[in-house]
Amino acid sequence: MSTPRRLQDWAPADLRRALAGQGIRLRLPPFVVHIRSPIAVVAEGLSALYPTNECLDPADSMADFHVAVTPRWRPLRPLCVFEMDGLRPFTPLGRDEAFAFLEWGLNWCVTGHAHHWVAVHAAVLEKQGRALVLPAPPGSGKSTLCAALMLNGWRLLSDEMALLDPATGQLTASPRPVSLKNASIDIIRQRHPDAVIGPVARNTLKGTVGHLRVTPDSLARASDTARPAWLVFPRYEAGADLTLTPRGKARALVEIASHSFNHHVHGRAGFEALATLVEQSDCLDLRYSRLDEALAWAHSLEAPQ
């Protein structure tokens, strides 16, 4: 059996030519994605953040999603558009945002079309087979905490989406780069100088955005599922001491349902899957300002019986 070809095996010029032509098929567990783009920052981002992901032979592999980020001409400001199967679901963005646009578009592909799972907007990390689920709106410090946990021994399942199997109650991993914004980029760089952050897009609607490469263990164990154990709603608050407050199950269920992209697609089974996740988990509100305190708390967790 031949050794699988990895993205890092491509010479930069060859990767740019392939992306600009027929594209590449990249394994992004649990999916295979066909990606095309002639924009240089897309090739740069893929090389930096997915070096050990497997590239598949297009003649022998199917793809779950066919996506492209392509240039669009506009006077004074170069733009780009995201496409899936020829559809253009989003407003064009600046061309220097092309790699971030690819990442955001892939999130949309999964949450809008991969209905094998109940998808919830949340970070998910695992320790000893039990999962910590962190649902939170933008600006809550979710991704900063997620990145810090991943870089301190937790396995990343996803920064953006909990993929809950309604039949088994297990969470499926989809380890892709962690999206960091604004001050979070420098915080992670200062704490972990060896961490790899890809192309940084500035002046986006979300501010300054960069993506953090997942740890090797997180990618190597992408096929390992995890059972929910903790459902924690984080909130960053400058200067605040770490505070943990139990959240009632009913309120937790209402909140996590509001973060779900597609439980309605599954009907009763989708709602019951969310209810089971809540029932199996310790439900808490977490307020924090200092990452070291939050990390110490996370490392002290014991799975509920």
Side-chain angles (χ1 to χ4, degrees):
M1 181 180 296
S2 61
T3 302
R5 190 180 191 188
R6 308 292 176 180
L7 199 58
Q8 63 191 6
D9 299 330
W10 292 73
D14 291 341
L15 178 60
R16 289 194 297 270
R17 279 193 293 270
L19 285 167
Q22 295 299 312
I24 64 171
R25 279 169 166 75
L26 192 62
R27 189 181 299 281
L28 305 178
F31 307 104
V32 173
V33 182
H34 175 215
I35 303 171
R36 294 185 300 107
S37 181
I39 302 174
V41 73
V42 173
E44 178 188 347
L46 290 172
S47 293
L49 297 175
Y50 294 101
T52 60
N53 286 70
E54 184 181 354
C55 293
L56 304 178
D57 185 339
D60 298 328
S61 62
M62 302 291 288
D64 296 285
F65 306 111
H66 298 266
V67 303
V69 182
T70 56
R72 181 171 177 179
W73 183 85
R74 180 181 176 182
L76 305 180
R77 187 189 182 201
L79 298 177
C80 63
V81 294
F82 176 85
E83 302 178 9
M84 186 193 79
D85 292 336
L87 301 176
R88 296 181 174 183
F90 305 113
T91 301
L93 297 179
R95 203 169 299 174
D96 56 352
E97 301 175 61
F99 179 75
F101 207 0
L102 173 64
E103 289 292 329
W104 297 331
L106 289 174
N107 292 341
W108 174 81
C109 288
V110 174
T111 58
H113 299 84
H115 295 313
H116 176 75
W117 298 276
V118 177
V120 177
H121 182 218
V124 187
L125 301 109
E126 174 265 341
K127 180 174 72 171
Q128 297 179 351
R130 308 310 297 271
L132 169 64
V133 181
L134 301 167
S140 61
K142 168 185 69 67
S143 291
T144 310
L145 179 57
C146 173
L149 287 167
M150 180 187 73
L151 294 169
N152 283 273
W154 287 70
R155 174 173 70 103
L156 178 73
L157 277 75
S158 178
D159 168 50
E160 289 289 343
M161 63 197 80
L163 297 178
L164 179 65
D165 188 330
T168 66
Q170 295 279 338
L171 290 159
T172 295
S174 183
R176 292 187 17 239
V178 178
S179 177
L180 299 173
K181 304 173 189 68
N182 303 313
S184 296
I185 298 172
D186 287 336
I187 289 171
I188 295 301
R189 278 178 169 161
Q190 290 167 10
R191 294 176 66 96
H192 299 276
D194 294 334
V196 177
I197 296 177
V200 174
R202 306 183 188 278
N203 301 315
T204 77
L205 291 175
K206 300 181 180 183
T208 301
V209 177
H211 288 82
L212 170 69
R213 186 195 293 177
V214 303
T215 54
D217 177 65
S218 297
L219 184 58
R221 296 179 56 204
S223 61
D224 294 349
T225 59
R227 184 164 295 280
W230 305 279
L231 181 59
V232 178
F233 300 87
R235 187 178 83 233
Y236 172 83
E237 186 176 313
D241 292 330
L242 186 140
T243 304
L244 292 164
T245 307
R247 178 180 283 224
K249 299 284 189 179
R251 184 165 164 246
L253 178 56
V254 170
E255 181 73 9
I256 198 169
S258 74
H259 288 282
S260 174
F261 297 98
N262 68 341
H263 74 276
H264 60 283
V265 174
H266 296 263
R268 179 172 179 173
F271 182 81
E272 289 180 347
L274 293 178
T276 299
L277 182 152
V278 170
E279 185 59 34
Q280 291 177 340
S281 303
D282 280 348
C283 301
L284 300 165
D285 287 298
L286 167 67
R287 182 179 69 167
Y288 79 98
S289 64
R290 292 175 284 275
L291 270 177
D292 286 333
E293 291 181 352
L295 289 172
W297 160 77
H299 289 316
S300 71
L301 286 172
E302 294 184 1
Q305 300 301 314

